[in-house]
Amino acid sequence: AQSVAQPEDQVNVAEGNPLTVKCTYSVSGNPYLFWYVQYPNRGLQFLLKYITGDNLVKGSYGFEAEFNKSQTSFHLKKPSALVSDSALYFCAYSGTALIFGKGTTLSVSS
Amino acid sequence: NAGVTQTPKFQVLKTGQSMTLQCAQDMNHEYMSWYRQDPGMGLRLIHYSVGAGITDQGEVPNGYNVSRSTTEDFPLRLLSAAPSQTSVYFCASSYSAAGEYGYTFGSGTRLTVV
């Protein structure tokens, strides 16, 4: 079955340090991959997507993600974390619908 | 631009009651979908629609009905609410299922079934 997996329930990082939130996929063909963020008691906000082309995708709020076909990964990264980046992050793929991973809680400490 | 509007924002139901969660979009999107969000489970797809008159089941359709009589509206019906349906429900819309132009999400409905 096709899916995306987020192997870490929680990621902790100090402010100013680089952050990575991991996502791996098991999707046939050329996947469309997405990252969304959810702040407490809010809806989902789009961060970035990979459709085709350059494997390094730049998105909102300084986030980027690298599509790696050989490792079937689409990790979310940011060079310098902010406390305000603390939120719940979802990786997703689209086919007949947008299917989400279970989410990773990012906690950035000051 | 209103985007995707969900009503109500909060609802408490008694077991066995029925209700309809409303979702409306003003972007002329063909594709609409409903999700439920539970702690540790991510967002799970309930039902989706690729256009007016066309709906299909997602991962967790049991206990929910949908219809799509217009492009703008995609209501979700709970026929006989159960405590297991306590969740936060999100509606989303897009030009297409592939989402190459992005998905837009509503702000959610927090439902409690007692």
Side-chain angles (χ1 to χ4, degrees):
Chain A
Q2 303 194 111
S3 64
V4 290
Q6 295 180 242
E8 300 160 317
D9 291 335
Q10 178 141 357
V11 170
N12 299 312
V13 63
E15 188 173 33
N17 284 359
L19 70 87
T20 299
V21 183
K22 296 180 180 177
C23 173
T24 59
Y25 65 90
S26 176
V27 180
S28 58
N30 297 315
Y32 289 7
L33 298 167
F34 302 79
W35 277 101
Y36 282 83
V37 61
Q38 185 179 36
Y39 297 100
N41 298 314
R42 302 285 296 276
L44 274 79
Q45 296 181 27
F46 170 78
L47 279 178
L48 51 81
K49 66 178 184 283
Y50 173 81
I51 302 296
T52 187
D54 194 348
N55 289 343
L56 183 63
V57 180
K58 294 188 181 297
S60 306
Y61 314 121
F63 285 93
E64 60 187 27
E66 185 171 9
F67 174 71
N68 188 318
K69 192 168 186 177
S70 63
Q71 297 185 7
T72 62
S73 66
F74 189 56
H75 300 333
L76 181 70
K77 298 183 179 184
K78 188 175 182 181
S80 179
L82 300 173
V83 172
S84 57
D85 292 330
S86 298
L88 182 57
Y89 290 80
F90 291 102
C91 179
Y93 77 93
S94 68
T96 56
L98 191 63
I99 304 299
F100 289 87
K102 293 188 176 182
T104 298
T105 298
L106 174 65
S107 178
V108 181
S109 57
S110 57
Chain B
N1 290 338
V4 176
T5 302
Q6 290 185 237
T7 56
K9 293 189 182 302
F10 302 93
Q11 183 71 50
V12 179
L13 285 180
K14 293 182 178 180
T15 298
Q17 287 184 318
S18 63
M19 80 160 294
T20 299
L21 279 62
Q22 302 291 345
C23 176
Q25 51 91 10
D26 62 355
M27 298 169 284
N28 203 32
H29 285 170
E30 289 293 327
Y31 182 87
M32 297 184 74
S33 52
W34 275 103
Y35 295 85
R36 60 177 289 171
Q37 183 178 15
D38 304 291
M41 301 294 291
L43 280 83
R44 293 181 291 171
L45 181 67
I46 304 171
H47 286 284
Y48 64 95
S49 169
V50 298
I54 306 170
T55 64
D56 205 348
Q57 296 181 352
E59 304 167 83
V60 288
N62 292 341
Y64 307 95
N65 277 3
V66 293
S67 60
R68 184 97 179 269
S69 56
T70 67
T71 298
E72 295 78 19
D73 300 298
F74 190 43
L76 178 72
R77 297 182 184 85
L78 282 69
L79 303 177
S80 179
S84 61
Q85 294 179 303
T86 293
S87 188
V88 181
Y89 292 84
F90 289 98
C91 179
S93 75
S94 176
Y95 280 111
S96 72
E100 59 266 46
Y101 302 107
Y103 281 75
T104 302
F105 283 82
S107 58
T109 295
R110 186 174 294 272
L111 175 68
T112 302
V113 183
V114 297

